[in-house]
């Protein structure tokens, strides 16, 4: 599993329900199926200089102009389907209160959320809850024209059932609905093509990162490159138009160079320029405003080659970045004082300065569902030679936390008022700090013994590595050093983080697992590994932490926080040993014993209690609206943000103003 790229969930975030200061900002916007739509605030935007505001605005336009690309990448019928649905939605002449229209509206909202007809997370096709007959008749009555080919794609469960098929033993290309390969292309043909075009230069290009493979009339494989004048040209042309405006107001030469390379890459599709862009982008460290814009992550291509279009515009959160700087500056102290064996410590350790950013616009594969961190570029040779940027996105985390306030989660699962109060006060703070420790010093700590390869732990590498970074963070969360550094106010605060980790790892994260299934995702495995190992290794006479039953419900109880910290430290030493020695057998034993399997009775109970709360497991966002003020000469004098637009209004507006691609590409 890839460690870089967009970070979908880190550390303590999962389903936490912490509270920060109450504000009047309306965080919750809409809820349907398993999805909840939130709004995020953009604190600090008004304090940016006019030039920086313009830069954010231009980059935001460049972000929105690519919207149609993702719909088409996710499936070749998606644009046709979305437009037919929107047209019917806008022109429907009858009552909007009728059951079938409501079902139709929910379906459209879901299509917008998924940027297509497959669930954004499970990748399974979701079916309408209205009939094909109703849809056909309604379109006729509303005068909506559509391509009849969309009907089986929408309504037949056997047509294009999976967006990205990863099931071993099948033709992954032919059975995936994603549009990275044209009709009739097989996995063997695609792989043969990539093989024949492999690039073995010392600075490798990402063959196929920005293209679709199709079969021509002669049955040969052809590459269609995403570029101005090529595939997705009309959208990329608009992206380039706004990037050029951004170039004019860029903050310094470094940033100018990066934008220039990105423009040239979009214009030519030449992947060498993409490499040059990545290098320039990584070197651009001083600008306040930053962005991702382009074909980036490769998870959605069943062969993991072609990038999915995404964009995120952001600016540095100066206050929070100071916090990660402080942690990073103390990296050597953390390394020297950790409970791991001396032989496994780095003599000289460098902390990573994780930047904390404020998201200002989300688009493509970052919208509406979005990552909470970014770690780019993905090319390992660029990371090695030029470094990388790792950021966490504070305002999105804050929105999740605010929206979770009072949703009943902590009332249901936390054992008593005392821990709830502690959590309300310090939970968010601990979550932020734990993430910072995990990212800034956790991953970078420790060393491998001579001769141990980086992939010695094979399929368990991600789980063990995430556990190592998490434990490093947990161990230090309870260290007086953090109070001394001013990062925590007192020696009670860390307890909120400890309780949350144990409750989440041993119990509540199971709400994301279907009944009867095991845990697969590396972060979730690592969290359960830690919690279950601790529970299995407590003092049997006086358990430091335990799960108790009360009125038929199970709760986590911590009896001794200092003792819990000692256990975290012991496990950290073991996990560091496994990593440093490349001890595959022990890694496998640990993962199998603690990380994968789920107690079926506890799982069923947790799912039932969670269901009773009626919460949506997946969240996404609406963006703010950028309102530009100009003088009589048309020059921008200010940019203001508006936070009142609803979910439906936003998507209808985007479809009206940023519809850059034809139905068939
Ligand atoms: Zn990590």
């Amino acid at each position: 599993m890839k460690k870089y790229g967009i970070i979908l969930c880190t550390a303590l975030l999962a389903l936490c329900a912490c509270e920060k200061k109450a504000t009047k900002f309306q965080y919750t916007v809409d809820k349907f199926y398993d999805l909840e739509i939130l709004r995020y605030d953009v604190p600090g935007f008004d304090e940016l200089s006019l030039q920086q505001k313009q830069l954010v605005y231009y980059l935001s336009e460049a972000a929105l102009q690519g919207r149609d690309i993702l719909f088409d990448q996710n499936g070749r019928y998606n644009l046709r389907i979305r437009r037919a649905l929107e047209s019917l939605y806008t022109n429907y002449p009858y009552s909007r209160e009728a059951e079938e229209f409501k079902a139709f509206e929910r379906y459209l909202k879901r299509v917008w959320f998924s940027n297509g007809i497959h669930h954004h997370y499970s990748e399974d096709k979701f079916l309408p809850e209205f009939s094909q007959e109703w849809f056909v008749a309604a379109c006729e009555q509303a005068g909506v024209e559509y391509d009849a080919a969309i009907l089986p794609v929408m309504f037949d469960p056997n047509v294009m059932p999976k967006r990205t098929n990863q099931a071993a033993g099948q033709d992954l290309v032919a059975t995936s609905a994603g549009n990275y390969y044209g009709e009739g292309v097989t996995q063997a043909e695609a792989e043969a093509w990539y093989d024949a075009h492999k690039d073995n230069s010392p600075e490798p290009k990402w063959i196929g990162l920005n293209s679709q493979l199709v079969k021509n009339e002669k049955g040969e494989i052809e590459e269609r490159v995403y570029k101005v004048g090529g595939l997705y040209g009309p959208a990329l042309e608009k992206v380039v138009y706004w990037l050029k405006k951004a170039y004019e107001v860029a903050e310094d030469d470094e940033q100018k160079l990066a934008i220039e390379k990105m423009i040239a890459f979009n214009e030519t599709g030449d992947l060498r320029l993409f490499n040059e862009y990545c290098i320039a982008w990584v070197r651009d460290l001083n600008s306040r405003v930053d962005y991702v814009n382009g074909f980036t992550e490769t998870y959605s291509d069943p062969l993991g080659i072609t990038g999915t279009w995404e964009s995120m515009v952001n600016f540095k959160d100066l206050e929070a970045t100071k916090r990660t700087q402080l942690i990073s500056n103390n990296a050597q102290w953390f390394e020297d004082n950790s409970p791991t064996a001396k032989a496994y410590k780095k003599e000289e350790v460098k902390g990573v300065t994780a930047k904390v950013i404020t998201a200002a616009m989300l688009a493509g594969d970052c919208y509406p569902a979005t990552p909470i961190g970014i770690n780019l570029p993905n090319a390992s040779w660029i990371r090695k030679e030029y470094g990388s940027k790792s950021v966490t996105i504070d305002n999105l985390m804050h929105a999740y936390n605010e929206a979770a306030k009072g949703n009943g989660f902590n009332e249901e699962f936390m054992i008593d008022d005392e821990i709830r109060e502690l959590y309300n006060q310090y939970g968010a703070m601990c979550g932020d700090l734990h993430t910072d420790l995990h990212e800034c010093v956790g991953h970078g700590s420790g060393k491998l013994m001579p001769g141990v390869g980086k992939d010695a732990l094979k399929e368990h590498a991600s789980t063990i590595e995430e556990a190592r970074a998490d434990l490093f963070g947990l161990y230090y969360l309870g260290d007086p050093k953090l109070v001394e550094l001013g990062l925590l106010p007192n020696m009670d605060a860390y307890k909120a983080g400890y309780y949350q980790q144990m409750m989440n790892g041993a119990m509540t994260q199971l709400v994301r697992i279907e009944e009867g299934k095991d845990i697969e995702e590396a972060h979730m495995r690592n969290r359960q590994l830690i919690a279950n190992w601790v529970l299995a290794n407590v003092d049997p006479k006086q358990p430091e932490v335990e799960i108790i039953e009360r009125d038929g419900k199970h709760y986590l109880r911590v009896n001794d926080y200092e003792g819990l910290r000692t256990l975290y430290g012991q496990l950290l030493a073991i996990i560091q040993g496994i990593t440093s020695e490349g001890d595959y057998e022990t890694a496998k034993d640990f993962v199998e014993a603690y990380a994968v399997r789920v107690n079926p009775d506890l799982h069923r109970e947790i799912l039932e209690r969670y269901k009773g709360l009626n919460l949506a497991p997946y969240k996404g966002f609406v963006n703010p609206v950028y309102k530009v003020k100009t003088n009589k000469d048309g020059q921008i004098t200010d940019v203001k943000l508006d936070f009142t637009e609803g979910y439906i209004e936003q998507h209808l507006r985007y479809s009206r103003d940023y519809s850059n691609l034809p139905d068939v590409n």
Side-chain angles (χ1 to χ4, degrees):
M1 186 168 291
K2 231 163 55 162
K3 220 178 84 195
Y4 312 132
I6 55 174
I7 299 162
L8 291 170
C9 51
T10 62
L12 293 168
L13 173 84
L15 296 158
C16 65
C18 32
E19 298 197 32
K20 282 193 180 178
K21 254 179 271 141
T23 59
K24 268 189 228 137
F25 195 85
Q26 190 61 47
Y27 287 93
T28 307
V29 177
D30 202 349
K31 203 174 135 189
F32 44 94
Y33 293 108
D34 52 354
L35 310 170
E36 188 176 2
I37 306 296
L38 310 178
R39 191 187 304 286
Y40 60 94
D41 197 0
V42 189
F45 182 81
D46 290 338
E47 282 89 65
L48 295 178
S49 70
L50 177 59
Q51 189 190 342
Q52 287 167 332
K53 286 181 189 172
Q54 283 176 289
L55 181 55
V56 170
Y57 168 66
Y58 293 146
L59 289 169
S60 294
E61 288 296 309
L64 294 170
Q65 298 291 353
R67 180 169 180 259
D68 282 354
I69 296 174
L70 181 64
F71 274 87
D72 198 68
Q73 285 187 306
N74 279 342
R76 66 181 69 91
Y77 294 97
N78 280 337
L79 284 170
R80 272 170 276 186
I81 292 172
R82 189 193 80 200
R83 285 170 181 152
L85 298 173
E86 285 166 348
S87 180
L88 178 58
Y89 186 83
T90 317
N91 296 305
Y92 188 69
Y94 304 110
S95 164
R96 291 174 176 252
E97 294 309 313
E99 211 32 66
E100 266 162 324
F101 186 83
K102 289 273 169 211
F104 166 73
E105 184 179 76
R106 280 199 299 276
Y107 178 75
L108 173 56
K109 288 205 270 191
R110 210 177 194 186
V111 168
W112 283 328
F113 192 95
S114 298
N115 293 284
I117 57 168
H118 298 87
H119 192 279
H120 76 288
Y121 193 79
S122 76
E123 313 218 11
D124 294 325
K125 184 164 89 174
F126 45 83
L127 293 170
E129 292 170 298
F130 52 90
S131 67
Q132 182 170 326
E133 291 69 39
W134 180 87
F135 179 73
V136 169
C139 283
E140 200 178 299
Q141 283 148 3
V144 172
E145 285 177 23
Y146 59 88
D147 178 351
I150 67 173
L151 293 176
V153 178
M154 282 171 64
F155 291 97
D156 185 341
N158 300 314
V159 176
M160 296 185 153
K162 194 95 182 169
R163 190 172 72 193
T164 311
N165 185 18
Q166 301 281 15
Q170 299 183 13
D171 183 325
L172 302 183
V173 167
T175 55
S176 292
N179 197 16
Y180 301 94
Y181 304 91
E183 255 163 311
V185 178
T186 67
Q187 180 173 353
E189 287 168 330
E191 284 173 344
W193 191 91
Y194 288 131
D195 251 10
H197 293 79
K198 220 188 272 164
D199 184 288
N200 293 317
S201 58
E203 297 181 354
K205 294 186 287 179
W206 293 76
I207 289 295
L209 180 73
N210 61 333
S211 64
Q212 181 194 43
L213 295 186
V214 294
K215 215 171 239 190
N216 66 20
E217 282 140 27
K218 285 186 246 157
E220 300 155 341
I221 299 296
E222 252 177 34
E223 186 186 34
R224 298 177 73 206
V225 177
Y226 305 152
K227 62 172 187 175
V228 172
L231 185 52
Y232 303 143
L236 293 172
E237 217 170 281
K238 295 274 177 67
V239 170
V240 163
Y241 171 88
W242 289 101
L243 286 178
K244 284 182 174 165
K245 292 208 165 253
Y247 176 85
E248 294 301 321
V249 292
E251 294 181 74
D252 56 25
D253 289 346
E254 236 97 60
Q255 189 172 47
K256 269 197 154 60
L257 182 66
I259 297 176
E260 192 185 307
K261 296 289 180 189
M262 177 44 85
I263 291 169
F265 169 61
N266 277 313
E267 285 177 335
T268 61
D270 183 344
L271 283 161
R272 278 170 304 193
L273 289 165
F274 182 71
N275 282 343
E276 287 172 26
Y277 153 77
C278 289
I279 293 165
W281 180 77
V282 156
R283 285 177 162 172
D284 169 26
L285 291 172
N286 296 321
S287 309
R288 177 97 189 258
V289 178
D290 205 355
Y291 64 96
V292 176
N293 183 306
F295 302 96
T296 310
E297 302 299 339
T298 58
Y299 304 102
S300 296
D301 171 359
L303 301 184
I305 304 247
T306 303
T308 303
W309 198 87
E310 69 174 39
S311 184
M312 177 184 290
V313 185
N314 61 76
F315 56 89
K316 231 181 267 184
D317 178 338
L318 300 179
E319 205 40 53
T321 299
K322 266 190 227 152
R323 189 180 73 210
T324 66
Q325 197 100 50
L326 191 57
I327 291 171
S328 184
N329 291 346
N330 284 280
Q332 192 67 52
W333 187 92
F334 289 120
E335 182 75 357
D336 295 344
N337 289 281
S338 87
T340 58
K342 194 156 184 295
Y344 304 148
K345 289 184 201 287
K346 274 194 184 125
E347 291 78 23
E348 228 178 284
V349 65
K350 259 201 223 145
V352 184
T353 306
K355 234 172 50 167
V356 182
I357 59 167
T358 303
M361 181 58 73
L362 310 169
D365 214 18
C366 296
Y367 170 88
T370 192
I372 54 152
I374 297 171
N375 189 342
L376 288 173
N378 282 326
S380 46
W381 71 270
I382 297 178
R383 300 176 69 87
K384 210 167 134 212
E385 271 176 55
Y386 301 93
S388 60
K389 287 190 204 172
S390 171
V391 300
T392 52
I393 309 165
D394 236 18
N395 60 328
L396 300 184
M397 300 263 275
H398 182 70
Y400 287 128
N401 293 337
E402 283 294 319
K405 259 176 157 181
N407 67 9
F409 190 86
N410 291 346
E411 284 68 19
E412 177 60 40
F413 290 107
M414 288 185 170
I415 191 163
D416 55 30
D417 284 341
E418 196 188 329
I419 187 62
R420 268 190 290 276
E421 270 157 38
L422 198 68
Y423 191 75
N424 284 344
Q425 213 171 346
Y426 303 118
M429 197 183 280
C430 286
D432 287 348
L433 260 183
H434 182 257
T435 304
D436 296 341
L437 287 163
H438 174 118
E439 301 289 348
C440 303
V441 286
H443 280 306
S445 69
K447 68 172 181 194
L448 302 181
M449 293 291 93
V452 174
K454 273 199 155 43
D455 41 12
L457 302 180
K458 295 180 218 168
E459 74 272 23
H460 302 304
S462 302
T463 300
I464 296 293
E465 176 58 17
E466 292 308 322
R468 204 175 65 85
D470 259 7
L471 285 161
F472 200 90
L474 286 164
Y475 181 76
Y476 281 115
L477 197 59
D479 197 291
K481 181 80 173 178
L482 293 199
V483 180
E484 193 187 301
L485 289 172
L487 293 166
L488 282 179
N490 56 53
M491 280 310 289
D492 275 329
Y494 78 95
K495 295 173 184 170
Y498 275 23
Y499 188 90
Q500 204 277 342
Q501 194 284 328
M502 287 301 297
M503 177 183 81
N504 185 47
M507 299 172 57
T508 49
Q509 71 164 353
L510 295 179
V511 303
R512 295 162 66 181
I513 303 289
E514 264 176 65
E515 201 175 336
K517 295 228 165 117
D518 286 337
I519 299 180
E520 285 179 29
E521 201 272 329
H523 291 88
M524 293 186 73
R525 280 189 171 182
N526 119 57
R527 291 186 201 116
Q528 178 168 292
L529 188 154
I530 296 172
N532 282 359
W533 183 90
V534 165
L535 287 165
N537 286 277
V538 293
D539 177 349
K541 286 194 210 97
Q542 277 182 309
E544 294 86 346
V545 49
E546 61 190 328
I547 290 179
I548 60 142
E549 193 186 333
R550 191 189 284 164
D551 304 327
K553 290 179 176 181
H554 289 85
Y555 297 92
L556 186 103
R557 184 163 74 192
V558 180
N559 303 312
D560 173 6
Y561 281 96
E562 270 177 58
L564 174 54
R565 180 168 187 242
T566 306
L567 287 162
Y568 282 149
Q570 285 168 1
L571 183 56
L572 172 57
I574 296 171
I575 295 286
Q576 183 60 56
I578 292 173
T579 306
S580 293
E581 301 289 346
D583 183 353
Y584 173 77
E585 286 307 320
T586 313
K588 185 164 171 272
D589 289 348
F590 264 64
V591 172
E592 280 173 5
Y594 303 111
V596 178
R597 274 188 310 275
V598 169
N599 172 339
D601 295 329
L602 182 65
H603 190 195
R604 195 172 315 116
E605 176 197 317
I606 301 284
L607 286 177
E608 254 164 49
R609 288 162 71 185
Y610 183 72
K611 208 170 156 213
L613 297 172
N614 199 23
L615 302 176
Y618 302 105
K619 318 244 188 277
F621 289 97
V622 291
N623 285 312
V625 184
Y626 283 74
K627 303 218 154 148
V628 170
K629 296 198 169 152
T630 48
N631 62 17
K632 60 178 182 354
D633 305 322
Q635 286 158 327
I636 294 179
T637 56
D638 202 2
V639 182
K640 289 279 179 200
L641 299 190
D642 180 279
F643 296 98
T644 56
E645 192 168 42
Y647 179 69
I648 293 176
E649 293 72 29
Q650 180 149 96
H651 281 278
L652 288 174
R653 180 170 65 86
Y654 285 177
S655 291
R656 187 189 70 218
D657 294 350
Y658 302 99
S659 199
N660 292 323
L661 295 181
D663 284 349
V664 181
N665 287 280

